Amino acid sequence: MVGAVGAVGAVRHDLPEVDDFTRPYWDAAAQGRLLLRRCGDCGRAHHYPREFCPHCWAGEDRVAWEPASGLATLYTWSVIHRNDLPPFGTRVPYTAAVVDLAEGPRMMTEVVDCEAADLRIGMALTVTFREAADGVWVAGFRPGQGQSSSRTQEPPAARR
């Protein structure tokens, strides 16, 4: 994610730059759903979203959005104790992680609701979403393989 301007005009380094291509991903996240891209030629899923297949280079007409299960295993992590980029400094310590999604791709993310001492490579995780800014929901993961999607906050639609 590149720095984006928050509601009060301050640059935030945790917000996506949503465009027409990525809008389905961010709209799904706001509904508590994780999306992936899958290639119709080679059949492989990938994440982060790209218009082409990074495995076989099939074009955008051969790659489509699909719902992910929300299940993953922990590949690696690092507990961040200092980050001077806004707003990360107010959130330390936090656990930056790479997870292996059940569908195959690896994803950079954050592990929440788990003490660092309890983290284990290969542990089961499930997706959760948090509202990073008004209407901007980001995926994170927490321990366990229960339901495929959960929230740390209610989505905007549920609050109405």
Side-chain angles (χ1 to χ4, degrees):
M1 292 183 211
V2 182
V5 178
V8 293
V11 173
R12 290 190 50 181
H13 296 274
D14 65 332
L15 299 178
E17 291 186 19
V18 178
D19 58 23
D20 288 341
F21 170 69
T22 61
R23 188 164 315 284
Y25 177 85
W26 297 110
D27 288 350
Q31 298 168 8
R33 297 182 301 119
L34 181 63
L35 294 183
L36 299 173
R37 300 277 289 169
R38 185 172 299 276
C39 179
D41 283 357
C42 72
R44 293 177 68 184
H46 63 270
H47 187 79
Y48 67 91
R50 285 162 275 196
E51 293 176 346
F52 63 92
C53 176
H55 305 290
C56 74
W57 298 94
E60 66 181 297
D61 62 323
R62 300 295 303 142
V63 183
W65 293 105
E66 74 172 33
S69 67
L71 304 177
T73 57
L74 185 60
Y75 177 75
T76 191
W77 75 92
S78 180
V79 178
I80 309 301
H81 294 277
R82 181 178 175 159
N83 188 335
D84 296 330
L85 295 174
F88 294 106
T90 62
R91 296 184 53 223
V92 293
Y94 62 91
T95 304
V98 177
V99 300
D100 288 328
L101 299 174
E103 294 78 9
R106 282 201 171 132
M107 178 178 176
M108 293 182 67
T109 188
E110 178 180 10
V111 174
V112 297
D113 301 334
C114 186
E115 295 296 322
D118 295 330
L119 295 170
R120 300 287 181 264
I121 290 174
M123 74 184 294
L125 302 170
T126 189
V127 74
T128 186
F129 294 85
R130 71 174 173 81
E131 192 169 26
D134 190 33
V136 179
W137 293 79
V138 296
F141 286 80
R142 68 169 149 210
Q145 284 189 339
Q147 57 191 24
S148 64
S149 177
S150 57
R151 296 195 166 267
T152 56
Q153 300 172 340
E154 286 298 313
R159 286 187 251 160
R160 295 178 196 176

